[in-house]
Amino acid sequence: MNKHKQKSSFLSLKTILLLSLGISVGFHVIFTIAAFFGDTLFFPEVKQNMQRHFNLWKILLFTADNFIMVFLLFLYNRKMYLINFKKRWQRPVLIIGGSLLITAIISLCFTMMHVFINPQVPKPDFMARIIRDALVRDFSFMVVVLLVTKLLHTLYERNLIAVENEALRAENVITHYEALKSQMDPHFMFNSLNTLQSLIDTDAEKAHDYVQELSQVLRFTLQNKEVVTLEQELQGVQAYCNLMQIRYGDNLKFDFKVDPKCASYWVLPLSVQGLVENAVKHNVISAKQPLRVCVATTDDGLLMVSNPIQSKIMEKEETGVGLANLSERYRLKWNLPVEVRNDGERFEVTLPLVEPKNESL
């Protein structure tokens, strides 16, 4: 479910109907009770020394008028909250300005309608007083609608963020589990131990380095962080690359072209490492077909992992850390896209880098 569809449920039509009914009826109950203790908006013509009278039809008519106005205001406010504005000031300006315009037009229309239905004895200030009282009453309704809508939207956004954070944590757990499972896969462990055994017999110092790199890979896989800096992520990637280069020798090369100023930018843990692992896992690596994997930053603040396509024949379908999982994690955390390009000759995945000043942990 995308974010726009999720937001459309924050104020359903049923909720709007119930709120409109509750606000209009509740206010007019208060106004009616107040009518027996002093002049009110319903009875501006009543003098202090005159007896109050209870006009049920008049109260019901005013209630119906305000119900319509409140209902339309809720619909308008919901529409404004569903639109993604480019600038932050646009939404509040349109909400307040539009609500004022809607309230003024509806208030004047209903006021004139009541004047024509129930003609009054002309007085010098009669129309001005009627319009003034109607606008004061209706603008009070408008303020209540704005406050209620803002409160409901704030609560909804908080709940939505909480749900997405839980989803992100679940995705991170799955990612770490899949990465760990990949590292503990019998095929991976067999190759690692087989390489280690051959190194022990031929080059003890290199075997020691291999054990160090293997421990580094496992340590980074077991880390439990929501975000890491690019520098931290690349430390784990470098350990994995060193491990693979010891195994494949000159048949596997890694090119790192990372701008130092991007070192402090945020990425998701195991994101770059997962892409490098996939490149090694799903492509042929041999003396005839050496593989070169490139990890580089771009001028527009992105990180690209690319490699030539040298697909293995009859490769078995894998269930490791997939691109769909990676894309979902970036969407949940920062609502940023992961771009994938495959032209048949080269495979490229571009990850967004998040500046520290834009990240709140």
Side-chain angles (χ1 to χ4, degrees), residues 229-241:
T229 63
L230 179 59
E231 182 179 19
Q232 292 171 330
E233 175 70 4
L234 290 180
Q235 288 176 2
V237 174
Q238 190 63 61
Y240 177 81
C241 293

Side-chain angles (χ1 to χ4, degrees), residues 27-215:
F27 264 65
H28 284 87
V29 167
I30 296 173
F31 291 158
T32 303
I33 294 174
F36 293 96
F37 299 95
D39 293 338
T40 69
L41 297 175
F42 289 116
F43 310 101
E45 72 278 8
V46 177
K47 296 181 180 179
Q48 291 291 341
N49 58 355
M50 293 180 64
Q51 185 178 1
R52 273 38 172 199
H53 65 278
F54 184 81
N55 190 330
L56 179 61
W57 291 110
K58 190 174 183 180
I59 294 172
L60 291 177
L61 187 59
F62 273 105
T63 303
D65 293 347
N66 287 123
F67 171 80
I68 294 172
M69 183 189 70
V70 170
F71 181 79
L72 293 176
L73 283 173
F74 271 123
L75 287 180
Y76 175 77
N77 277 266
R78 182 180 71 168
K79 181 65 176 178
M80 291 298 101
Y81 277 109
L82 292 179
I83 298 175
N84 292 320
F85 293 99
K86 293 182 179 180
K87 297 181 180 179
R88 295 182 63 180
W89 59 265
Q90 290 178 309
R91 177 178 286 131
V93 168
L94 288 175
I95 286 177
I96 296 174
S99 297
L100 286 170
L101 183 62
I102 292 172
T103 303
I105 292 174
I106 294 177
S107 180
L108 291 174
C109 289
F110 281 134
T111 300
M112 299 309 298
M113 181 184 70
H114 292 313
V115 170
F116 286 120
I117 294 175
N118 300 305
Q120 303 289 327
V121 178
K123 294 181 180 179
D125 62 341
F126 172 73
M127 287 302 300
R129 183 158 49 86
I130 290 295
I131 292 174
R132 179 202 64 196
D133 292 343
L135 288 174
V136 170
R137 180 192 65 238
D138 293 338
F139 280 134
S140 66
F141 278 95
M142 182 202 73
V143 171
V144 172
V145 171
L146 292 178
L147 292 176
V148 170
T149 308
K150 178 62 177 178
L151 175 62
L152 291 176
H153 186 261
T154 301
L155 293 175
Y156 178 80
E157 286 290 314
R158 288 182 180 178
N159 289 335
L160 188 62
I161 291 172
V163 170
E164 291 193 342
N165 283 341
E166 287 301 319
L168 179 61
R169 290 190 186 96
E171 291 288 347
N172 283 337
V173 170
I174 294 172
T175 299
H176 283 87
Y177 169 73
E178 292 292 343
L180 181 59
K181 188 171 70 172
S182 174
Q183 306 302 346
M184 299 304 293
D185 181 76
H187 184 68
F188 175 84
M189 294 305 295
F190 173 79
N191 287 335
S192 298
L193 294 175
N194 191 39
T195 302
L196 179 60
Q197 183 179 17
S198 64
L199 290 173
I200 291 174
D201 294 336
T202 58
D203 192 335
E205 185 176 349
K206 205 169 187 180
H208 179 267
D209 293 339
Y210 189 85
V211 171
Q212 292 294 323
E213 300 296 347
L214 181 59
S215 66

